[in-house]
Amino acid sequence: MKLKARITRELRFIKGLGRTLKWVKPIAPDSKELICDDLEAAVDAHRDRPAITFEGKTLTYGEMDALANRYAHWAKEQGITRGQTVALFMPNRMDYLPIWYGLTKVGVATALINNNLTGAQLAHCLNISGALHCLVDGDTSPAFEAARGQMTKHVAQWTLGPVIEDRRDLTAALKSCSSLRPDRQTARGDLRGKDTALWIYTSGTTGLPKAARINHMRVQLYMRGFAGATGALASDRIYQVLPLYHATGGLCGMGAALLTGGSVVLRKKFSTSHFWQDVHDEGCTMFVYIGELCRYLVNAPGHPLERNHKLRQAFGNGLRADVWEQMVARFNIPQVMEFYGSTEGNVSMFNFDGHIGAIGRVPKWLKKKVNARLVQFDVETEQPVRNAAGFCIECGPDQIGECIGRIDTTDPRTSFSGYADKSATEKKVLHDVFEKGDAWFRTGDLMRQDADSYFYFVDRIGDTYRWKGENVSTGEVADRLAESPGVLEANVYGVSVPGQDGRVGMVALTVDDDFSLPDFHAHVEKELPSYAQPLFLRLQRQIETTGTFKYRKVDLVEDGFDPARVKDPLYFRNPVKKAWTKVSKASFEKICEGGFKL
């Protein structure tokens, strides 16, 4: 990189980091200034400006605050006290943020429940929340009713929809509640930044969701941090289609707009067909993404408005390099800011200069000030490698390792609040890493850092499997397979084969009319080393994802390549015929009996 380009890069990084640090500097565990105080300050500064637009209606900042105040007074009338929890089980809607915002005004925490959950998973999330009241609407009330039998205690159901049987009428209850702010000193005067504001659940890609405790200072880090990192202005309108029960959309996206006097254009859920029409009609200047959302956009047919917009920035995480390049070129998006972070984790990074494919950058001159490190990792034991003295070994340039973050309970940027389940909390903490007594948060993510200090996401631990003595990254393989003609989505995972060590690669694809088995076979052999080439192929109409578009793999792994369990078209990369052949009962048994040299 030439000197001028390096200087430009460093200046852009310093500017972005400076904005972010300026916003988050006041946050502290013992601070009396909570997230509701931040939002009230924004309301007081921008009372008559539009705050949230949803389905043709708009709330001003003042109206948003008045609605939040009603929820605060509702909680007080129900005898819900500071430190208790209310469950919020609704899809994206106008009053979603005002609900939890209002409850924080009286010291009540809100458990944000994934509105797609049903049955045992829904009951599990409600049970571990400890909530005795659950707010629902017409969309989610039936699922709540169906899961009642699996709840460990009675949870009162308050609905914004039709009221039947023992459901309580939330709409009517709110009408009798004051829209004036509750007295701050009485309602939350003794609360501090370290107290719980929200419970946010992990996606549950491999099992039951875990409830992460999100205190006020962590909510502030998300909302204030992205107000700074994005450089958001009062003139910005942020298009927000991600679920509000997760941090990326519900905190990062909302904070960038609502702490700066900007506005949010909120939709119930993402729609490829409506995206560009909405962005154009609403005059949106930014949108918040998850990588798969961008992939859906670039895979969609051309839209007449896809370059006729006011977008100046997209920000989010999980954006693949190939999709990134296509999106910027095709849709004429001036800036993309990729970031890395997790709901409960203490590691965060920003790619301020838009280096394609990187999740962030930590320059060498900043390393001692940042808590993130990469340590060598053993895929077989799924544990960091330790030296003769018992300490972890830091990775060198381009060496893949687990990303960990030093825990400092006095620093809101590096603390770890944990989960509702104490044993789950302890599993995420690594002790005696570089010296006796230190503690580090395990992100569960494998990464590498290049010589220019950029970090690249490689895979989730558990998504990396071992075959023929080699570690195979499902993410890297999926990226290569997605480049094959006709492939829309590729979900790679490892499956067990009787008599074989390790796990064999398998891929679930969604495809279009350009896909052909012979071409895909040729692509696999050309683009991947032998140990990384998937041996089994499953064609699906739609790949199952979580609410944040992460691929669910647990059911696919359980199904394996057994035709008795898989109703989708199923193929085996036959080493004899050198082609994809259908898996029948007979060929399945032959594979399991060692009839093919794999």
Side-chain angles (χ1 to χ4, degrees):
M1 181 180 287
K2 293 182 179 180
L3 179 60
K4 184 179 179 181
R6 286 203 303 270
I7 292 173
T8 300
R9 179 185 66 183
E10 296 304 317
L11 289 175
R12 193 167 176 182
F13 180 88
I14 291 169
K15 186 177 180 181
L17 182 64
R19 285 196 313 264
T20 307
L21 293 178
K22 182 179 179 181
W23 271 91
V24 303
K25 186 178 180 180
I27 302 170
D30 294 319
S31 173
K32 295 180 181 180
E33 297 301 310
L34 310 178
I35 187 59
C36 41
D37 296 301
D38 290 348
L39 287 165
E40 285 186 348
V43 169
D44 293 342
H46 309 286
R47 181 167 296 275
D48 296 324
R49 291 183 60 83
I52 303 172
T53 296
F54 180 77
E55 295 185 349
K57 297 180 181 179
T58 297
L59 282 181
T60 65
Y61 276 78
E63 290 167 339
M64 176 183 75
D65 192 53
L67 181 57
N69 294 334
R70 291 186 185 279
Y71 280 99
H73 288 292
W74 166 84
K76 290 177 67 177
E77 288 186 6
Q78 305 313 313
I80 304 169
T81 58
R82 279 176 290 185
Q84 292 186 322
T85 299
V86 169
L88 175 54
F89 179 48
M90 296 184 192
N92 286 8
R93 53 182 297 142
M94 179 81 82
D95 41 3
Y96 195 100
L97 181 136
I99 289 173
W100 69 252
Y101 165 36
L103 294 177
T104 62
K105 288 177 181 242
V106 290
V108 175
T110 309
L112 308 183
I113 310 291
N114 180 340
N115 62 282
N116 298 300
L117 295 182
T118 58
Q121 284 204 331
L122 172 57
H124 165 78
C125 289
L126 289 167
N127 290 337
I128 64 175
S129 75
L132 297 179
H133 300 264
C134 183
L135 310 187
V136 302
D137 65 4
D139 289 342
T140 54
S141 181
F144 179 92
E145 286 294 327
R148 268 191 187 279
Q150 299 177 69
M151 296 180 199
T152 55
K153 59 183 122 181
H154 176 74
V155 180
Q157 179 184 190
W158 293 83
T159 182
L160 291 176
V163 179
I164 58 175
E165 299 176 352
D166 66 343
R167 302 176 200 180
R168 303 186 186 186
D169 192 333
L170 183 56
T171 305
L174 290 172
K175 288 179 180 178
S176 64
C177 294
S178 171
S179 62
L180 300 177
R181 288 178 182 171
D183 178 70
R184 187 193 186 286
Q185 185 58 37
T186 304
R188 58 181 188 276
D190 58 349
L191 290 182
R192 298 294 182 267
K194 60 189 174 184
D195 290 310
T196 306
L198 301 171
W199 293 95
I200 297 181
Y201 295 76
T202 60
S203 298
T205 56
T206 57
L208 289 173
K210 296 193 291 290
R213 188 173 81 86
I214 311 298
N215 56 30
H216 282 267
M217 62 181 184
R218 180 163 287 276
V219 180
Q220 289 175 308
L221 280 171
Y222 282 123
M223 299 188 79
R224 282 173 165 258
F226 277 82
T230 59
L233 305 170
S235 56
D236 279 315
R237 286 174 65 77
I238 299 180
Y239 190 60
Q240 211 303 82
V241 295
L242 300 181
L244 293 178
Y245 56 76
H246 268 313
T248 302
L251 300 181
C252 302
M254 302 297 275
L258 298 180
L259 294 185
T260 60
S263 57
V264 174
V265 177
L266 179 68
R267 290 292 177 263
K268 198 168 187 177
K269 59 184 179 180
F270 169 67
S271 167
T272 307
S273 58
H274 293 161
F275 186 92
W276 294 113
Q277 190 73 53
D278 285 347
V279 165
H280 173 271
D281 292 352
E282 295 289 351
C284 295
T285 57
M286 290 197 271
F287 74 90
V288 54
Y289 66 79
I290 290 290
E292 285 77 3
L293 181 155
C294 300
R295 181 165 46 79
Y296 296 150
L297 290 176
V298 300
N299 284 338
H303 191 284
L305 296 175
E306 65 183 31
R307 294 178 67 86
N308 184 8
H309 55 72
K310 296 180 181 178
L311 289 174
R312 66 178 183 87
Q313 184 184 102
F315 64 98
N317 56 25
L319 182 55
R320 283 194 342 228
D322 59 328
V323 175
W324 190 328
E325 289 182 301
Q326 293 178 63
M327 183 178 76
V328 169
R330 176 175 162 184
F331 304 136
N332 189 31
I333 298 174
Q335 183 181 1
V336 173
M337 191 192 75
E338 176 82 359
F339 74 91
Y340 170 81
S342 62
T343 301
E344 71 279 30
N346 70 346
V347 176
S348 59
M349 302 179 196
F350 295 94
N351 182 350
F352 288 116
D353 59 280
H355 186 77
I356 291 178
I359 60 175
R361 181 169 174 262
V362 178
K364 292 176 183 177
W365 52 265
L366 190 64
K367 183 177 178 179
K368 290 184 179 180
K369 298 287 187 180
V370 176
N371 71 324
R373 297 290 185 273
L374 298 186
V375 292
Q376 294 181 20
F377 184 79
D378 186 332
V379 174
E380 288 293 300
T381 62
E382 295 195 350
Q383 293 293 326
V385 175
R386 293 184 181 262
N387 60 22
F391 297 122
C392 295
I393 307 167
E394 193 166 353
C395 292
D398 289 318
Q399 186 175 16
I400 295 172
E402 182 179 4
C403 183
I404 59 175
R406 181 176 52 81
I407 298 171
D408 180 352
T409 56
T410 65
D411 185 344
R413 292 169 295 179
T414 62
S415 63
F416 171 49
S417 302
Y419 306 100
D421 183 340
K422 290 184 179 180
S423 64
T425 299
E426 187 54 35
K427 287 178 183 178
K428 296 291 285 186
V429 180
L430 199 62
H431 297 279
D432 302 331
V433 175
F434 297 117
E435 60 185 20
K436 285 291 183 181
D438 65 358
W440 294 68
F441 172 77
R442 296 190 64 183
T443 66
D445 291 327
L446 297 178
M447 302 180 190
R448 66 177 177 86
Q449 186 180 23
D450 67 15
D452 288 325
S453 302
Y454 289 102
F455 280 81
Y456 301 85
F457 180 82
V458 175
D459 230 331
R460 287 287 297 166
I461 290 173
D463 283 349
T464 297
Y465 61 89
R466 195 167 180 84
W467 177 241
K468 292 188 177 180
E470 300 283 352
N471 299 328
V472 182
S473 162
T474 61
E476 291 183 347
V477 173
D479 286 350
R480 298 287 76 75
L481 298 183
E483 296 169 356
S484 182
V487 174
L488 299 179
E489 298 177 86
N491 188 5
V492 177
Y493 48 101
V495 295
S496 299
V497 177
Q500 299 288 339
D501 292 328
R503 289 187 291 158
V504 174
M506 184 166 181
V507 59
L509 299 180
T510 59
V511 298
D512 61 21
D513 293 340
D514 293 331
F515 179 79
S516 80
L517 287 171
D519 289 347
F520 186 64
H521 188 277
H523 180 85
V524 167
E525 294 205 327
K526 177 184 176 183
E527 297 295 330
L528 294 168
S530 59
Y531 64 84
Q533 295 173 4
L535 291 179
F536 299 101
L537 166 63
R538 177 174 179 170
L539 296 180
Q540 294 187 293
R541 289 183 180 274
Q542 184 175 356
I543 290 181
E544 185 180 0
T545 62
T546 69
T548 49
F549 308 118
K550 296 176 183 176
Y551 291 145
R552 278 190 59 84
K553 301 188 181 187
V554 61
D555 297 331
L556 297 175
V557 172
E558 288 180 0
D559 289 346
F561 57 97
D562 185 351
R565 295 180 61 119
V566 179
K567 303 308 176 187
D568 299 319
L570 191 62
Y571 298 91
F572 168 55
R573 195 162 56 82
N574 192 309
V576 178
K577 297 184 178 181
K578 297 188 182 301
W580 292 104
T581 59
K582 281 198 171 183
V583 179
S584 62
K585 181 181 179 181
S587 62
F588 172 74
E589 292 174 351
K590 184 176 179 179
I591 294 167
C592 292
E593 292 168 358
F596 291 97
K597 186 179 179 180
L598 303 181

